[in-house]
Amino acid sequence: MTWVHSCKMDSFIQAVKQIEDSEPNLSPLALVRSLRRSAGLDDEMTIYFLGASYNLSDAVVLINASSISFFHKAIHHMVTDAGEERGVVLTPDGTTVALAPLLLGIESGLKARAEGTPAVGLFPLTLGRILGLSFFRLQNVQPCHRLGPNGCWDNMEHPKVFRLARAATLATDALINGGMDGVILGSRLSNLSASEQPPALSEILKGYYVFSQHEGRSLNVLRHPVSPKRRELSRASLQPLELHKEVMETLALVWKLEKIKWIAEVTGIGRVVKEGLNVFVHKYWDCPQVISRCQWGAQPFRGTPIPLSLPLPFLYIHHTENPSEPCLTFEKCASDMRAIQRYHQDERGWSDIGYSFVIGSEGHIFEGRGWEIQGRHTKGHNSIGYGVSVIGNYNSTLPSVEAMDLIRHRFYQCAVDGGGLMANFTLHGHRQVVATDCPGDAFFEEIKTWEHFRD
């Protein structure tokens, strides 16, 4: 076998499939344990919940030295002094995921399924430890900077290097994405009935991450969990838990197992955890996933941006008209974003794409000019409102349910809670303030029924 390192989830799944094909009797649990052994993930907490991989009889040594080197490089998480985050992969939905917490969650679920017990340790292994330690390590930093950041790939087609946007916390976006995915898949696997056999590891990953490239259908018709819905799905799994209590218990266990002195010296532990969890819930649950400019391949802003004075009193709804068709995959949506920006910059002579944010039917919001920079979307009103557009022409049909829900139920709350929109903001269709058909007859009739709409 040839092991070529690539930082795409598709390539990692292919490598896992090669192992499965060469070892047909290897169970999914044995394989994920073998990957843990290859990546050197046997820290104290992992051993406490899952056992030491080198003592587990089914954790075989994978094939040869080259395969061990490949999987160690792919899975082992670290951030270099230069801000390069390793052990992360680009997924087909455009987000970046750390493999270590993802695989620990899957192993926890498979172990519980095999033993017929609850998935003990699922939250501490995937999210609890990284969240708790990040809250404490940065307790003197503003709460909004105790988690994250995101980053940018050097090349979206052939990604090799992922560089963070600022100094790393112990809970980067990629680690949190991987942790949420580990919770979702671990919970699902642990709840398989006695008559259901766990799928192969490659099929578990493929069904969750790679669906969009093959099905091209609305997310709402899919009955299995998929990565663009990780925020809603992880919230559904974890919200019944008392997260504050879970994080506090995780930190107590960290202290017991790892004897980290500075944890014991922190005063006001409960307050620090409460502040951190408020940020986590807002940023990763209340707010939708926003695909940053570098992730969709934006060209630089031309000229000098004009800052907005927040919070804003208006939200203006648009459709793109051209592209006239909805986009159902990250690749297509990103291509449409680049086409819109080219048209606005090269044909209209604008500084940048005009919209503040753009909605794709595949489940994500794409960053245009963003939260803080004045757009060019609603003539005469750009300084007092955000312009949010849905890709497609909606004169006779409506956008997807996902696209409309993103605006109505996710963007609203995120913008208000984050200080971007006033709590009593007014929603208008583009046509209400400018002579245009935008956002299309069908879509305009729909938004007239939404909260905050005013004639």
Side-chain angles (χ1 to χ4, degrees):
M1 285 179 284
T2 302
W3 302 96
V4 179
H5 183 67
S6 171
C7 293
K8 278 192 168 184
M9 178 62 79
D10 310 55
S11 300
F12 181 77
I13 294 172
Q14 291 172 11
V16 169
K17 184 68 165 62
Q18 288 185 50
I19 295 294
E20 292 169 341
D21 290 344
S22 65
E23 297 283 342
N25 295 322
L26 197 64
S27 71
L29 178 56
L31 177 52
V32 78
R33 284 172 168 169
S34 299
L35 294 177
R36 171 156 65 95
R37 180 171 178 172
S38 296
L41 297 182
D42 276 352
D43 57 55
E44 289 86 347
M45 181 169 286
T46 303
I47 293 172
Y48 180 82
F49 286 115
L50 300 178
S53 63
Y54 49 82
N55 284 336
L56 298 170
S57 59
D58 58 354
V60 299
V61 177
L62 289 176
I63 314 304
N64 54 42
S66 63
S67 69
I68 293 175
S69 174
F70 171 87
F71 284 112
H72 183 275
K73 184 176 181 180
I75 299 168
H76 185 76
H77 184 268
M78 65 173 292
V79 177
T80 69
D81 292 341
E84 177 186 337
E85 188 172 14
R86 298 177 180 173
V88 300
V89 293
L90 176 65
T91 70
D93 69 17
T95 56
T96 299
V97 168
L99 289 171
L102 163 68
L103 294 172
L104 290 176
I106 291 174
E107 181 177 347
S108 179
L110 289 170
K111 179 176 182 288
R113 165 64 179 75
E115 297 174 355
T117 60
V120 177
L122 180 59
F123 176 73
L125 289 168
T126 54
L127 285 172
R129 184 177 185 275
I130 62 170
L131 291 178
L133 293 182
S134 194
F135 297 157
F136 282 111
R137 185 171 184 179
L138 300 174
Q139 61 174 305
N140 296 320
V141 175
Q142 288 186 347
C144 62
H145 289 147
R146 293 177 194 170
L147 298 174
N150 202 348
C152 294
W153 288 98
D154 57 337
N155 185 301
M156 294 297 284
E157 291 296 321
H158 306 286
K160 293 182 180 178
V161 177
F162 187 71
R163 201 168 300 280
L164 294 171
R166 57 177 171 83
T169 69
L170 291 179
T172 64
D173 279 14
L175 281 168
I176 291 175
N177 286 339
M180 289 191 287
D181 293 347
V183 165
I184 294 163
L185 293 174
S187 297
R188 185 165 187 256
L189 291 165
S190 69
N191 289 323
L192 290 176
S193 67
S195 62
E196 294 179 277
Q197 289 300 313
L201 179 59
S202 61
E203 291 301 314
I204 294 170
L205 297 172
K206 183 178 178 182
Y208 185 72
Y209 290 107
V210 191
F211 75 96
S212 59
Q213 294 185 335
H214 303 290
E215 303 198 34
R217 296 182 288 158
S218 168
L219 299 180
N220 280 351
V221 306
L222 301 178
R223 297 185 180 277
H224 58 275
V226 289
S227 57
K229 298 179 77 67
R230 69 165 57 86
R231 297 186 175 211
E232 302 97 308
L233 293 168
S234 63
R235 185 173 205 156
S237 293
L238 294 176
Q239 204 162 32
L241 302 177
E242 295 182 39
L243 283 189
H244 187 274
K245 177 173 176 286
E246 293 285 333
V247 173
M248 294 291 286
E249 290 179 352
T250 300
L251 286 170
L253 182 60
V254 169
W255 167 243
K256 176 183 175 182
L257 296 174
E258 302 179 21
K259 298 181 175 61
I260 300 177
K261 184 177 180 181
W262 49 266
I263 291 181
E265 295 175 348
V266 170
T267 58
I269 292 178
R271 174 187 56 79
V272 173
V273 170
K274 182 178 180 180
E275 289 176 350
L277 285 174
N278 286 340
V279 173
F280 170 76
V281 169
H282 169 72
K283 184 176 180 180
Y284 298 98
W285 281 355
D286 291 343
C287 288
Q289 176 73 52
V290 176
I291 300 296
S292 67
R293 292 171 62 88
C294 68
Q295 289 172 286
W296 60 261
Q299 293 298 309
F301 191 97
R302 298 174 182 174
T304 303
I306 301 174
L308 289 165
S309 180
L310 305 178
L312 303 177
F314 290 95
L315 176 62
Y316 300 104
I317 302 297
H318 299 249
H319 70 171
T320 61
E321 191 170 17
N322 187 18
S324 61
E325 296 296 324
C327 58
L328 290 173
T329 66
F330 167 75
E331 290 84 357
K332 180 63 168 63
C333 292
S335 175
D336 286 347
M337 288 294 293
R338 294 191 293 272
I340 295 168
Q341 187 189 41
R342 279 195 301 270
Y343 175 67
H344 286 181
Q345 286 186 319
D346 299 339
E347 299 297 322
R348 293 197 166 186
W350 295 353
S351 300
D352 196 3
I353 188 170
Y355 307 118
S356 307
F357 297 94
V358 180
I359 313 296
S361 295
E362 78 337 336
H364 289 321
I365 293 181
F366 288 75
E367 180 186 22
R369 299 205 188 185
W371 295 110
E372 299 179 356
I373 303 301
Q374 181 175 307
R376 190 160 182 175
H377 45 78
T378 311
K379 189 174 182 180
H381 299 75
N382 293 314
S383 64
I384 58 174
Y386 291 121
V388 174
S389 188
V390 182
I391 292 177
N393 184 319
Y394 299 106
N395 278 314
S396 57
T397 60
L398 287 174
S400 69
V401 173
E402 290 92 351
M404 292 190 291
D405 282 351
L406 275 174
I407 303 172
R408 188 175 183 181
H409 301 304
R410 307 291 303 288
F411 185 86
Y412 277 15
Q413 182 178 358
C414 179
V416 171
D417 291 348
L421 283 175
M422 295 179 180
N424 62 342
F425 74 90
T426 295
L427 174 73
H428 280 325
H430 187 195
R431 63 173 62 185
Q432 290 177 266
V433 291
V434 176
T436 175
D437 291 334
C438 180
D441 293 342
F443 193 17
F444 183 64
E445 289 301 312
E446 167 66 23
I447 68 170
K448 286 164 70 173
T449 69
W450 290 8
E451 300 84 355
H452 296 278
F453 179 86
R454 305 282 192 278
D455 286 330

